């Protein structure tokens, strides 16, 4: 006998419904095979037909057994029944107590409101919604947590800046558009107002009795409002403009600063070149020397740093081979280098002197190598081939003139002296024959860092005319002794000293700078010059003073604690222009002649040793 009663198995989970029905089948089928289950795996219930046992309907026990803890609802019942209990043991099949308990439970459950039990789909939906919302809340909480502890952003990438700029553009465009719209609306209103006849409406029709405001007044109020808005936007625009302008000015200042750092010659020399530099210049040969040209390799213009001296060497088997000896300097000027090119490279030193530093430029080399040409120019100079001295003084004049606009007033004075046999002579003296009777002394002012030669004539350099007079006078007075090498060879060191004293009338600032332009005596060896008697004495003094000069420069390069400037009159006179922040330039001159090869080599070696600190003593004699 089978009970026609069907039961609905329901659960919040489709899996549970399936597993329950399978359990019911398992429990019932072995004995009676009378179980017929209708269920849908993915619906919330399954219909279960339970058998009658011995004509009795299935007891709660069987139901309980079959349900295994999931709800079993008799069909036709409107309310759902949820029945939870522990899973009973199969041994307790006919347990009346349990059946009674089940019935009690069913009865009590019947009272429950069906609406309180959510359908499966809605539960799923609700569940997933809840899950989603909890995920979102978690995420937003974590974002909040993270953003709260993030530092404010100070650096932006270029794309971020671009976006910001675009936003600003959009904002600006919007403001403009808004203003346009406002103006247009204003115009329309004005037009309307002009067209509209001034009509007084009946008070009871549109207005409160006491309010006598006309239609025109209403429009006027609107116009005033609009005007106010426009004014506010204009102010916003103006402040934005001011911000933009200040930004632009800021960038302009930055650019100017960078430009100054790049272009300021003094700073350039300081930061990029160091304080002691060695340049080399090769004199071009004249027509009569064409058959005596040495194989010297140098750069065609003034861009190189290397000069190579070729020599022929014979090997063991008597085979001749040309070898090159390379010398490197801070700059090498070939025979085609112009006076202007040369000056461009020394101009930073002159500039720095105007700004309050000391500078010293030496022309070194053997007789007839072009020292005087570099320093003063040829005998009848033109504006194109004039030397370093007139160019430097002109640059000083120009720079001082420019500084006048900033409140600077300068006094420029000059002395032109020579050191002959370690004694000072005044090249600007009106009576050179008096030289032997006067004892000139070097006076250093340690406070200002200036040097002057007492009793030597001091000229106030206030014009180009004065400068020209100084140069002519010095050329006339310079002691020239005839030697074998050069009929006009100068046997003394000549020094043109320019002192600048600047005062700023606005700030009260002071600047003092000294520029020494030194044309050294010829450096040829005694054997070559064939000197005898007085000339031998001259040559000894020259070589000794050059040797001391080299030692002093090397000590300065090595930053020695003790430098003996007193060893020679030349180094003692130039003391303040060699040490400290003074800029020193040694210009080594090279003759292009093959016959002067040994002297050339000697000069290059001298200059090379000046570039290398901690070198051994170099003896010229
Ligand atoms: N770069 C040059 N271009 C053209 N001519 C030059 C150049 N250098 C030198 N000279 C000429 O070479 C000759 C010798 O030059 P300079 O008198 O300057 O040599 P120096 O080294 O001063 O000799 P000294 O030590 O005897 O005074 C001069 O006639 C000069 O005009």
């Amino acid at each position: 006998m089978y009970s026609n009663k069907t039961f609905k198995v329901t659960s919040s989970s489709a899996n549970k419904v399936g597993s329950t029905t399978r359990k019911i089948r398992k429990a019932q089928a072995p004995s009676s095979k009378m179980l017929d289950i209708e269920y849908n795996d993915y619906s919330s219930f399954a219909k279960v037909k339970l058998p009658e046992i011995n004509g009795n309907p299935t007891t709660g026990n069987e139901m309980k057994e079959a349900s295994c803890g999931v709800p079993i609802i008799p069909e036709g019942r409107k309310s759902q029944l949820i029945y939870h209990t522990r899973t009973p043991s199969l041994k307790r099949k006919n347990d009346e107590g349990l059946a009674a308990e089940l019935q009690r439970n069913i009865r009590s459950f019947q009272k429950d409101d069906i609406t309180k039990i959510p359908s499966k789909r809605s539960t799923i939906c609700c569940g997933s919604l809840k899950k989603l919302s909890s995920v979102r809340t978690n995420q937003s909480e974590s974002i909040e947590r993270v953003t709260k502890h993030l530092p404010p952003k100070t650096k932006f990438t270029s794309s971020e800046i671009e976006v910001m700029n675009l936003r600003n553009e959009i904002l600006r465009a919007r403001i403009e558009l808004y203003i346009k719209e406002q103006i247009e609306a204003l115009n329309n209103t004005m037009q309307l107002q002009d067209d509209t006849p001034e009509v007084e409406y009946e008070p009871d029709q549109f207005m409160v009795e006491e309010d006598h405001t006309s239609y025109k007044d209403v429009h006027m109020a609107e116009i005033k409002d609009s005007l106010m808005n426009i004014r506010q936007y204009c102010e916003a625009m103006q402040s934005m403009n001011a911000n933009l302008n200040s930004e632009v000015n800021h960038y302009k200042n930055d650019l100017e600063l960078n430009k100054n750092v790049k272009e300021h010659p003094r700073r350039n020399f300081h930061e990029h070149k160091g304080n002691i530099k060695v340049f080399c210049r090769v004199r071009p040969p004249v027509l009569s020397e064409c058959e005596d040209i040495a194989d010297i390799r140098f750069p065609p213009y003034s861009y190189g740093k290397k000069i190579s001296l070729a020599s022929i060497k014979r090997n063991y088997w008597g085979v001749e081979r040309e070898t090159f000896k390379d010398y490197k300097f801070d700059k090498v000027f070939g025979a085609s280098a112009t006076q202007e090119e040369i000056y461009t490279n020394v101009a930073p030193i002159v500039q720095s002197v105007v700004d309050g530093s000391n500078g010293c430029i030496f022309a070194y080399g053997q007789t007839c190598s072009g020292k005087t040409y570099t320093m003063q120019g040829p005998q009848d100079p033109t504006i194109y081939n004039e030397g370093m001295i007139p160019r430097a003084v002109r640059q000083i004049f120009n720079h001082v003139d420019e500084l006048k606009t900033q409140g600077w007033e300068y006094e420029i004075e000059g002395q032109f002296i020579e050191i002959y046999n370690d004694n000072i002579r005044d090249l600007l003296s009106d009576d050179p024959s008096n030289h032997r009777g006067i004892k000139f002394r070097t006076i250093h002012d340690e406070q200002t860092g200036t040097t002057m030669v007492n009793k030597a004539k001091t000229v106030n350099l206030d014009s180009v005319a004065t400068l020209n007079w100084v140069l002519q006078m010095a050329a006339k007075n310079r002691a020239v002794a005839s030697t074998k090498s050069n009929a006009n060879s100068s046997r003394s060191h000549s020094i043109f000293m320019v002192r600048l004293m600047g005062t700023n009338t606005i700030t009260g600032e002071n600047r003092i700078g000294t520029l020494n332009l030194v044309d050294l005596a010829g450096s040829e060896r005694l054997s070559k010059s064939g000197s005898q008697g007085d000339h031998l004495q001259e040559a000894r003094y020259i070589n000794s003073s050059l040797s001391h000069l080299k030692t002093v420069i090397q000590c300065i390069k090595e930053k020695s604690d003790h430098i003996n400037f007193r060893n020679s009159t030349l180094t003692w006179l130039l003391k303040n222009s060699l040490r400290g922040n003074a800029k020193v330039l040694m210009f080594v001159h090279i003759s292009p002649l093959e016959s002067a090869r040994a002297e050339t080599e000697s000069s290059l070696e001298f200059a090379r040793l000046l570039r290398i600190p901690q070198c051994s003593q170099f003896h010229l004699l």
Side-chain angles (χ1 to χ4, degrees), residues 281 283-284 366-373 486 488-490 522:
R281 185 181 193 184
R283 169 176 78 77
Q366 68 175 105
T367 294
C368 206
S369 58
K371 301 183 296 293
T372 311
Y373 185 87
N486 188 348
N488 288 314
S489 173
S490 60

Side-chain angles (χ1 to χ4, degrees), residues 3 5-9 20-21 23-24 27-28 35 48-51 53 57-75 77 81 83 85-88 90 92-95 98-107:
S3 163
K5 274 184 188 171
T6 51
F7 293 91
K8 196 187 273 179
V9 178
T20 304
T21 46
K23 276 177 187 170
I24 293 167
Q28 304 294 331
L35 181 66
V48 183
K49 274 187 183 176
L50 293 173
I53 298 165
T58 312
T59 62
N61 197 19
E62 277 88 20
M63 285 157 68
K64 175 97 170 127
E65 212 167 68
S67 74
C68 295
V70 297
I72 296 177
I73 303 162
E75 203 182 36
R77 292 271 300 277
L81 168 66
Y83 177 62
T85 182
R86 67 186 172 83
T87 309
L90 283 173
R92 300 174 65 193
K93 236 180 205 177
N94 295 314
D95 191 333
L98 264 177
E101 192 192 328
L102 180 64
Q103 273 164 4
R104 261 201 315 279
N105 277 329
I106 288 169
R107 244 178 275 124

